[in-house]
Amino acid sequence: MILDDYRSPWRTEELDDLRAMVRTFMNKESAPHHARWAQQHGVDRDFWKQAGEAGLLCISIPEEYGGGGGTFAHEAVIMEEQARIADTAWANVVHSAIVAHYIAAFGTEEQKLRWLPGMASGELVGAIAMTEPTTGSDLQSIRTRARQDGDSYVVNGSKTFISNGTHCDLVIIAARTSEEAGGKGMSLIVAETDGLAGFQRGRVMEKIGMHGQDTRELAFVDMRVPASNVLGGVEGLGFIQLMQQLPQERLAIAVGAAAECEFAVREATAYASDRDAFGKNLLAFQNTRFVLAECVADSLAARTLVDHCIAQHVTGDLDAATASLAKFWCTDMQNKVVDRCLQIFGGYGYMTEYPIARRFAAARVQKIYGGTNEIMKELVARSL
């Protein structure tokens, strides 16, 4: 297959070794449990510690803070291997590529030393609470408030669609700390949830797909957080911090989308090779062959776009508009390719025992979270 002949320019022998290790780990510790995780709406808590022991958590965080000392390329390898086995349950991207990087980029030295080693070991699971029931992509309209009272902030509000909401020991909360309009009055406050009065885990969200991913509502009722837990130690920088880190989140979504395209094509090709209809193999039908040829082309286009962005990001040159472009284009392509590949499976494509069905259900949210694709297009248009 053409996809087999292409090698991403950012890949190295070290990353190949990492891929082999991650593949072994995921085959043993993740793949056998997908059905059970879907039933219980979350991975096992011990799985986080197993991943930490294997060195898969915070792999792109500096070693002095307990991380792996790698780059975003190392994170991308893990994301791709998750996609290979259709693991949509383990929200490591949120934990390692998003939450940990907020702390690494903006935290004080004391904050980094206090939280990052535990995140790298799996002792602490991270979440980020931005979205609210009445606000989605419009982060400037958040209503959660944090009022300073002595050496504490008193936090009141609610958040929704929070990945790792069940297991999170550490949650970054976007809250309004002043009456200034827009993003100027926003701060990021880190809450350590163990035994924290006023911290409430709400209902588990019933989703179309990603049934194994731990997603909940959170509420804060007169919740007291030390004033020293403001990320970076300075109030009012939250919106700027969010804007600086969102490109990495959006690139991570694009990486997963491109990988999902590729593995959907591989699965559909293998199925068509083994399946007969009307006395001949499915691959003998011109429609099947043309659909797969188009999906291969779309998958390779997504891969090369993502590779370009990864190379830019590793060198610090990826801008917000390019990351937004990659996010909306690759997730649109993911939905298109996975849908067409599912059709090749016929009725079996609608059965959740087949990975293609789970890929299809999980694909839809990719165009929504991390900023809707409509917002992504607006951000790209502003750069023209």
Side-chain angles (χ1 to χ4, degrees):
M1 183 184 289
I2 293 172
L3 293 173
D4 294 326
D5 297 329
Y6 176 80
R7 180 177 172 84
S8 299
W10 50 268
R11 289 181 59 173
T12 63
E13 289 187 13
E14 176 199 350
L15 292 173
D16 289 342
D17 291 341
L18 171 64
R19 187 180 300 277
M21 186 270 283
V22 175
R23 183 166 298 185
T24 299
F25 176 85
M26 297 299 287
N27 284 341
K28 179 182 178 182
E29 306 296 347
S30 171
H33 306 295
H34 290 177
R36 181 170 57 81
W37 288 349
Q39 290 177 347
Q40 68 189 31
H41 297 291
V43 304
D44 301 325
R45 182 61 180 83
D46 286 345
F47 182 77
W48 286 98
K49 294 181 180 179
Q50 292 173 326
E53 291 170 359
L56 303 187
L57 301 181
C58 303
I59 199 169
S60 59
I61 294 298
E63 291 180 278
E64 58 262 38
Y65 303 116
T71 68
F72 183 82
H74 292 74
E75 300 284 2
V77 168
I78 298 174
M79 296 172 203
E80 290 173 351
E81 287 304 304
Q82 275 193 263
R84 184 184 61 82
I85 61 169
D87 176 5
T88 60
W90 183 38
N92 179 53
V93 170
V94 173
H95 175 92
S96 295
I98 299 175
V99 175
H101 276 269
Y102 273 97
I103 297 170
F106 306 118
T108 65
E109 189 67 11
E110 187 275 334
Q111 289 172 342
K112 288 186 276 193
L113 290 171
R114 182 168 23 136
W115 295 322
L116 289 175
M119 293 186 68
S121 69
E123 294 297 320
L124 299 176
V125 174
I128 185 164
M130 291 187 281
T131 304
E132 297 182 354
T134 57
T135 62
S137 297
D138 183 9
L139 294 176
Q140 296 189 52
S141 298
I142 64 168
R143 298 181 180 181
T144 295
R145 294 191 175 273
R147 172 179 56 83
Q148 189 160 10
D149 181 24
D151 59 359
S152 300
Y153 279 95
V154 180
V155 184
N156 284 280
S158 60
K159 300 290 184 176
T160 193
F161 311 142
I162 308 304
S163 299
N164 295 335
T166 297
H167 291 315
C168 65
D169 307 283
L170 201 72
V171 55
I172 298 176
I173 303 167
R176 193 162 294 287
T177 50
S178 79
E179 298 303 322
E180 290 188 80
K184 294 181 180 180
M186 186 188 303
S187 301
L188 299 184
I189 298 176
V190 183
E192 297 159 286
T193 66
D194 186 25
L196 181 60
F199 175 75
Q200 300 177 358
R201 301 183 201 267
R203 67 187 177 99
V204 174
M205 313 297 287
E206 293 285 349
K207 307 184 294 293
I208 291 175
M210 294 186 173
H211 296 148
Q213 189 180 113
D214 164 9
T215 310
R216 296 186 86 113
E217 295 175 328
L218 299 179
F220 322 115
V221 181
D222 291 333
M223 184 180 77
R224 285 188 171 269
V225 178
S228 59
N229 281 23
V230 172
L231 190 62
V234 180
E235 187 180 288
L237 298 180
F239 190 74
I240 295 172
Q241 292 166 342
L242 288 170
M243 292 303 101
Q244 290 183 6
Q245 284 298 302
L246 279 171
Q248 175 155 307
E249 177 179 350
R250 288 162 181 165
L251 176 57
I253 293 171
V255 169
E260 287 287 339
C261 288
E262 178 178 335
F263 292 117
V265 173
R266 292 181 184 278
E267 289 168 1
T269 303
Y271 181 83
S273 298
D274 292 337
R275 181 76 171 178
D276 291 335
F278 302 102
K280 60 181 179 179
N281 186 265
L282 280 185
L283 275 178
F285 289 92
Q286 186 182 68
N287 181 72
T288 305
R289 296 162 66 85
F290 281 13
V291 166
L292 288 173
E294 291 168 356
C295 286
V296 168
D298 290 338
S299 298
L300 184 58
R303 161 63 52 203
T304 54
L305 173 57
V306 162
D307 286 344
H308 168 71
C309 292
I310 290 174
Q312 282 197 320
H313 191 42
V314 168
T315 59
D317 297 320
L318 180 67
D319 59 54
T322 305
S324 298
L325 184 152
K327 192 272 183 183
F328 85 70
W329 194 89
C330 289
T331 56
D332 280 350
M333 194 57 61
Q334 175 188 359
N335 278 264
K336 172 187 172 184
V337 169
V338 173
D339 179 70
R340 301 191 77 189
C341 287
L342 184 149
Q343 189 72 16
I344 291 172
F345 283 77
Y348 289 109
Y350 203 64
M351 302 297 110
T352 57
E353 65 190 270
Y354 282 78
I356 192 67
R358 302 195 297 275
R359 295 188 193 281
F360 176 81
R364 189 58 184 84
V365 75
Q366 290 270 85
K367 300 199 293 183
I368 298 172
Y369 59 21
T372 66
N373 282 8
E374 291 75 18
I375 297 296
M376 297 302 96
K377 293 171 186 178
E378 175 62 25
L379 294 176
V380 173
R382 290 176 186 175
S383 72
L384 301 180

